[in-house]
Coordinates of all heavy atoms in Angstrom, one line a residue:
I225 N -47.3 0.3 -96.4 CA -46.4 -0.1 -95.4 C -45.8 -1.4 -95.8 O -46.6 -2.4 -96.0 CB -47.0 -0.2 -94.0 CG1 -47.6 1.2 -93.6 CG2 -46.0 -0.8 -93.0 CD1 -48.4 1.2 -92.3
K226 N -44.5 -1.4 -96.1 CA -43.8 -2.7 -96.5 C -43.4 -3.4 -95.2 O -42.9 -2.9 -94.3 CB -42.5 -2.3 -97.3 CG -42.8 -1.6 -98.6 CD -43.6 -2.5 -99.4 CE -43.4 -2.2 -100.9 NZ -44.2 -3.2 -101.7
N227 N -43.8 -4.7 -95.3 CA -43.5 -5.6 -94.1 C -42.2 -6.2 -94.1 O -41.5 -6.4 -95.2 CB -44.7 -6.7 -94.1 CG -46.0 -6.1 -93.7 OD1 -46.0 -5.3 -92.7 ND2 -47.0 -6.5 -94.4
F228 N -41.8 -6.7 -93.0 CA -40.5 -7.5 -92.8 C -40.9 -8.9 -93.2 O -41.5 -9.6 -92.4 CB -40.0 -7.4 -91.4 CG -38.6 -8.0 -91.2 CD1 -37.5 -7.4 -91.8 CD2 -38.5 -9.1 -90.4 CE1 -36.3 -8.1 -91.6 CE2 -37.3 -9.7 -90.2 CZ -36.2 -9.2 -90.8
T229 N -40.5 -9.3 -94.4 CA -40.9 -10.6 -94.9 C -39.8 -11.6 -94.7 O -38.7 -11.3 -94.3 CB -41.2 -10.5 -96.4 OG1 -39.9 -10.1 -97.1 CG2 -42.3 -9.5 -96.7
E230 N -40.1 -12.9 -95.1 CA -39.1 -14.0 -95.0 C -37.9 -13.6 -95.9 O -36.7 -13.8 -95.5 CB -39.7 -15.2 -95.5 CG -38.8 -16.4 -95.4 CD -39.5 -17.7 -95.9 OE1 -40.8 -17.8 -96.0 OE2 -38.8 -18.6 -96.2
K231 N -38.1 -13.0 -97.1 CA -37.1 -12.6 -97.9 C -36.2 -11.5 -97.3 O -35.0 -11.5 -97.3 CB -37.6 -12.1 -99.3 CG -36.6 -11.6 -100.3 CD -37.2 -11.1 -101.6 CE -36.2 -10.7 -102.6 NZ -36.8 -10.2 -103.8
A232 N -36.9 -10.5 -96.7 CA -36.1 -9.4 -95.9 C -35.3 -10.0 -94.8 O -34.2 -9.6 -94.5 CB -37.1 -8.4 -95.5
A233 N -35.9 -11.0 -94.1 CA -35.2 -11.6 -92.9 C -33.9 -12.3 -93.4 O -32.9 -12.2 -92.8 CB -36.1 -12.7 -92.2
D234 N -34.0 -13.0 -94.6 CA -32.8 -13.6 -95.2 C -31.8 -12.6 -95.5 O -30.6 -12.8 -95.2 CB -33.3 -14.5 -96.4 CG -32.1 -15.2 -97.0 OD1 -31.2 -15.7 -96.3 OD2 -32.2 -15.4 -98.2
I235 N -32.2 -11.5 -96.1 CA -31.3 -10.5 -96.5 C -30.6 -9.8 -95.2 O -29.4 -9.6 -95.2 CB -32.0 -9.4 -97.4 CG1 -32.3 -10.0 -98.7 CG2 -31.1 -8.2 -97.5 CD1 -33.2 -9.1 -99.6
Q236 N -31.4 -9.6 -94.2 CA -30.9 -8.9 -93.1 C -29.9 -9.9 -92.4 O -28.8 -9.4 -91.9 CB -32.0 -8.6 -92.0 CG -31.4 -8.0 -90.8 CD -32.4 -7.8 -89.6 OE1 -33.4 -8.5 -89.5 NE2 -32.2 -6.9 -88.7
A237 N -30.2 -11.2 -92.3 CA -29.2 -12.1 -91.7 C -27.9 -12.1 -92.4 O -26.8 -12.1 -91.8 CB -29.8 -13.5 -91.6
M238 N -28.0 -12.1 -93.7 CA -26.8 -12.1 -94.6 C -26.0 -10.8 -94.4 O -24.8 -10.8 -94.2 CB -27.2 -12.2 -96.1 CG -26.1 -12.1 -97.1 SD -25.7 -10.5 -97.7 CE -27.3 -10.0 -98.3
L239 N -26.7 -9.6 -94.3 CA -26.1 -8.3 -94.1 C -25.3 -8.3 -92.8 O -24.2 -7.9 -92.7 CB -27.1 -7.1 -94.1 CG -27.7 -6.8 -95.4 CD1 -28.8 -5.8 -95.2 CD2 -26.7 -6.3 -96.5
R240 N -26.0 -8.7 -91.7 CA -25.4 -8.7 -90.4 C -24.2 -9.6 -90.3 O -23.2 -9.2 -89.7 CB -26.5 -9.0 -89.4 CG -27.5 -7.9 -89.2 CD -28.6 -8.3 -88.2 NE -28.0 -8.1 -86.9 CZ -28.4 -8.8 -85.8 NH1 -29.4 -9.6 -85.9 NH2 -27.8 -8.6 -84.6
A241 N -24.3 -10.8 -91.0 CA -23.2 -11.7 -90.9 C -21.9 -11.1 -91.7 O -20.8 -11.2 -91.2 CB -23.6 -13.0 -91.5
R242 N -22.2 -10.5 -92.8 CA -21.1 -9.9 -93.7 C -20.5 -8.7 -92.9 O -19.3 -8.6 -92.8 CB -21.7 -9.4 -94.9 CG -21.9 -10.4 -96.0 CD -22.4 -9.8 -97.3 NE -22.7 -10.8 -98.3 CZ -23.3 -10.5 -99.4 NH1 -23.7 -9.3 -99.8 NH2 -23.5 -11.5 -100.3
L243 N -21.3 -7.9 -92.3 CA -20.8 -6.8 -91.5 C -20.0 -7.2 -90.2 O -18.9 -6.6 -90.0 CB -21.9 -5.8 -91.1 CG -22.5 -5.1 -92.3 CD1 -23.9 -4.5 -91.9 CD2 -21.5 -4.0 -92.7
E244 N -20.5 -8.2 -89.6 CA -19.8 -8.7 -88.5 C -18.4 -9.3 -88.9 O -17.4 -9.1 -88.2 CB -20.6 -9.9 -87.8 CG -20.2 -10.2 -86.3 CD -21.2 -11.2 -85.8 OE1 -21.0 -12.4 -85.9 OE2 -22.2 -10.7 -85.1
R245 N -18.4 -10.0 -90.0 CA -17.1 -10.5 -90.6 C -16.1 -9.5 -90.8 O -14.9 -9.7 -90.7 CB -17.4 -11.3 -91.9 CG -16.6 -12.6 -92.0 CD -17.0 -13.4 -93.2 NE -18.3 -14.1 -93.1 CZ -19.3 -13.9 -93.9 NH1 -19.2 -13.3 -95.0 NH2 -20.5 -14.5 -93.7
I246 N -16.5 -8.3 -91.3 CA -15.5 -7.2 -91.6 C -15.4 -6.2 -90.4 O -14.8 -5.2 -90.5 CB -15.9 -6.5 -92.9 CG1 -17.2 -5.7 -92.8 CG2 -15.9 -7.4 -94.1 CD1 -17.5 -4.7 -93.9
G247 N -15.9 -6.6 -89.2 CA -15.7 -5.8 -88.0 C -16.6 -4.6 -88.0 O -16.2 -3.6 -87.3
K248 N -17.7 -4.5 -88.6 CA -18.5 -3.4 -88.7 C -20.0 -3.8 -88.3 O -20.9 -3.6 -89.1 CB -18.5 -2.7 -90.0 CG -17.2 -2.1 -90.4 CD -17.2 -1.4 -91.7 CE -15.9 -0.8 -92.0 NZ -15.9 -0.1 -93.3
P249 N -20.2 -4.3 -87.1 CA -21.6 -4.7 -86.8 C -22.5 -3.5 -86.9 O -22.1 -2.4 -86.6 CB -21.5 -5.3 -85.4 CG -20.3 -4.8 -84.8 CD -19.3 -4.5 -86.0
T250 N -23.8 -3.7 -87.3 CA -24.7 -2.6 -87.4 C -25.8 -2.8 -86.5 O -26.2 -3.8 -85.9 CB -25.2 -2.6 -88.9 OG1 -26.0 -1.4 -89.1 CG2 -26.1 -3.8 -89.2
Q251 N -26.6 -1.6 -86.3 CA -27.8 -1.6 -85.5 C -28.8 -2.5 -86.1 O -29.0 -2.4 -87.4 CB -28.2 -0.2 -85.4 CG -29.3 0.0 -84.3 CD -30.1 1.3 -84.5 OE1 -30.2 1.8 -85.5 NE2 -30.7 1.7 -83.4
K252 N -29.5 -3.2 -85.3 CA -30.5 -4.2 -85.8 C -31.6 -3.5 -86.6 O -32.0 -3.9 -87.7 CB -31.1 -5.0 -84.6 CG -31.7 -6.3 -85.0 CD -32.0 -7.0 -83.7 CE -32.6 -8.4 -84.1 NZ -33.0 -9.1 -82.9
D253 N -32.1 -2.3 -86.1 CA -33.2 -1.6 -86.8 C -32.8 -1.2 -88.1 O -33.5 -1.3 -89.1 CB -33.8 -0.5 -85.9 CG -34.6 -0.9 -84.8 OD1 -34.9 -2.1 -84.6 OD2 -34.9 -0.1 -83.9
D254 N -31.6 -0.6 -88.2 CA -31.1 -0.1 -89.5 C -30.9 -1.2 -90.5 O -31.3 -1.1 -91.7 CB -29.7 0.6 -89.3 CG -29.9 2.0 -88.6 OD1 -31.0 2.5 -88.6 OD2 -28.8 2.5 -88.2
S255 N -30.4 -2.4 -90.0 CA -30.2 -3.4 -91.0 C -31.6 -4.0 -91.4 O -31.7 -4.5 -92.6 CB -29.4 -4.6 -90.4 OG -29.9 -5.1 -89.3
M256 N -32.6 -3.9 -90.5 CA -33.9 -4.4 -90.9 C -34.5 -3.5 -92.0 O -35.1 -4.0 -92.9 CB -34.8 -4.4 -89.6 CG -36.2 -5.0 -89.9 SD -37.2 -5.0 -88.4 CE -36.6 -6.4 -87.5
I257 N -34.4 -2.2 -91.8 CA -35.0 -1.2 -92.7 C -34.3 -1.4 -94.1 O -34.8 -1.4 -95.1 CB -34.8 0.2 -92.2 CG1 -35.8 0.5 -91.0 CG2 -35.1 1.3 -93.3 CD1 -35.5 1.7 -90.2
A258 N -32.9 -1.5 -94.0 CA -32.1 -1.7 -95.3 C -32.5 -3.0 -96.0 O -32.7 -3.0 -97.2 CB -30.6 -1.8 -94.9
A259 N -32.8 -4.1 -95.2 CA -33.2 -5.4 -95.8 C -34.5 -5.3 -96.5 O -34.8 -5.8 -97.6 CB -33.2 -6.4 -94.7

Side-chain angles (χ1 to χ4, degrees):
I225 299 176
K226 295 299 207 175
N227 289 316
F228 186 68
T229 61
E230 183 178 342
K231 181 178 179 182
D234 182 32
I235 292 169
Q236 183 190 22
M238 179 268 307
L239 290 173
R240 292 181 70 208
R242 284 181 181 172
L243 288 165
E244 200 173 86
R245 217 174 291 127
I246 63 169
K248 295 183 178 182
T250 187
Q251 189 199 25
K252 201 170 180 180
D253 287 350
D254 287 346
S255 63
M256 186 181 281
I257 291 167

